[in-house]
């Protein structure tokens, strides 16, 4: 049994990225690159999450651009409501995602779905906006 109070103090270590859903990641990345001088990754399909991602790096900030991929993309509905795009989720880093899940459950906060592999190939889980001031939260385990 982990020491819940000790883990709780360090549950969220830092903001990992802000995710923005857009209709076209290439167009959105071009603006960040050409107008802001940010570094941008190549578009990368992440089929198990139904998105294509581009990561944008600036000093002190990392932005994940998301475009729907395939049928029933989880961001499709969001884009119907926000056709030009918009902030989709915030991602916080945790040391141990399973411990984080147990602690959050003990506080009455249930994750959406299961822990899965995220865009960085590390385990992630999502928390419902109703529990976090109207914002979808992703937790990402940043080391094993
Ligand atoms: Co994310």
């Amino acid at each position: 049994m982990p020491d819940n109070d000790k883990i709780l103090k360090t549950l969220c270590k830092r903001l990992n990225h802000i995710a923005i859903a857009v209709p076209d990641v290439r167009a959105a990345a071009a603006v960040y690159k050409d107008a802001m001088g940010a570094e941008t990754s190549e578009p990368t399909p992440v089929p198990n999450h139904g998105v294509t991602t581009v990561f944008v790096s600036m000093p002190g900030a990392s932005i994940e651009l998301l475009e729907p991929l395939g049928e029933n993309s989880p961001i499709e509905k969001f884009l119907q409501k926000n056709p030009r795009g918009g902030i989709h989720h915030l991602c916080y880093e945790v040391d141990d995602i399973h411990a984080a899940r147990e602690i959050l459950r003990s506080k009455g906060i249930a994750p959406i779905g299961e822990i899965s592999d995220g865009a960085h190939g590390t385990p992630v889980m999502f928390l419902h906006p109703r529990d976090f001031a109207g914002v979808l939260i992703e937790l990402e385990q940043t080391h094993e």
Side-chain angles (χ1 to χ4, degrees):
M1 187 67 192
D3 181 345
N4 281 8
D5 287 343
K6 196 175 161 205
I7 294 170
L8 188 60
K9 280 194 188 117
T10 57
L11 191 76
C12 289
K13 295 191 300 180
R14 59 188 285 268
L15 179 67
N16 182 280
H17 60 266
I18 297 165
I20 302 175
V22 294
D24 181 342
V25 283
R26 284 169 182 81
V31 173
Y32 272 98
K33 188 175 183 159
D34 299 338
M36 304 270 274
E39 281 181 36
T40 56
S41 72
E42 288 301 310
T44 306
V46 187
N48 66 327
H49 284 274
V51 292
T52 298
T53 64
V54 167
F55 278 92
V56 179
S57 308
M58 292 179 280
S62 179
I63 310 290
E64 176 186 52
L65 300 172
L66 303 172
E67 176 186 315
L69 174 67
E71 303 278 309
N72 304 318
S73 169
I75 65 169
E76 194 66 64
K77 238 184 186 171
F78 181 91
L79 280 173
Q80 280 167 17
K81 281 188 219 157
N82 305 275
R84 292 180 171 189
I87 294 179
H88 183 262
H89 65 265
L90 301 182
C91 176
Y92 301 125
E93 297 179 0
V94 297
D95 277 331
D96 180 335
I97 201 154
H98 291 91
R101 182 174 62 181
E102 289 316 304
I103 290 165
L104 288 164
R105 277 185 175 154
S106 78
K107 308 282 179 191
I109 295 169
I112 303 170
E114 298 297 320
I115 292 169
S116 62
D117 281 340
H120 295 116
T122 51
V124 300
M125 70 178 180
F126 287 89
L127 303 171
H128 200 281
R130 73 173 161 249
D131 293 318
F132 284 91
V135 177
L136 178 66
I137 301 296
E138 176 180 24
L139 296 184
E140 178 176 326
Q141 180 172 297
T142 48
H143 60 80
E144 301 301 309

